[in-house]
């Protein structure tokens, strides 16, 4: 499959990515990640290995799109996801506290 990462065209295949990542130790995941085999790799690490470019030259979105098109599972960071906002009713309920005990 042909994809463009950092303005350069690459012919990537699922088997080629698996072969490139064989023997590579995963770094700690702090953001988006790709599951390759049984390992979870940071997207930027995978992009660096398969393109042989510096991580600053491409975005994680470019690599994520390519990996999804090749059939790999990509995950976003749970820590990077913004907290879910409360509705006005939920916010008011939390400010008022729980219901008073019955019989008082």
């Amino acid at each position: 499959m042909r994809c463009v990462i950092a303005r350069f065209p690459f012919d990537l295949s699922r088997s080629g990515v698996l072969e490139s990542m064989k023997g590579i130790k995963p770094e700690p995941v702090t953001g988006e990640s790709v599951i390759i085999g049984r390992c979870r790799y940071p997207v930027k690490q995978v992009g660096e290995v398969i393109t042989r470019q510096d991580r600053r030259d491409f975005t994680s979105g470019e690599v994520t799109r390519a990996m999804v098109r090749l059939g790999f599972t990509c995950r976003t960071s749970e820590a990077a996801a913004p907290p879910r906002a409360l509705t006005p009713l939920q916010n008011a309920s939390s400010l008022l506290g729980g219901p008073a005990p019955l019989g008082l």
Side-chain angles (χ1 to χ4, degrees):
M1 177 193 72
R2 190 165 190 90
C3 34
V4 176
I5 299 174
R7 297 185 313 255
F8 292 100
F10 292 94
D11 288 319
L12 300 175
S13 67
R14 184 175 176 85
S15 60
V17 171
L18 289 169
E19 186 64 32
S20 295
M21 296 307 293
K22 188 182 292 184
I24 304 290
K25 183 181 176 197
E27 297 172 359
V29 175
T30 57
E32 296 178 0
S33 62
V34 180
I35 298 173
I36 299 175
R38 295 182 189 170
C39 298
R40 188 173 166 203
Y41 294 91
V43 170
K44 289 280 197 165
Q45 181 184 11
V46 173
E48 184 177 51
V49 171
I50 65 174
T51 65
R52 296 183 184 97
Q53 293 182 332
D54 190 273
R55 295 176 190 206
R56 295 171 290 185
D57 293 340
F58 54 85
T59 66
S60 59
E62 292 174 306
V63 178
T64 300
R65 280 190 296 276
M67 295 296 105
V68 167
R69 287 179 58 197
L70 289 172
F72 292 102
T73 302
C74 297
R75 309 258 170 154
T76 58
S77 172
E78 293 80 27
R84 191 174 62 101
L86 296 176
T87 65
L89 179 61
Q90 291 170 329
N91 189 31
S93 293
S94 68
L95 292 173
L96 292 173
L102 297 174
L104 291 178

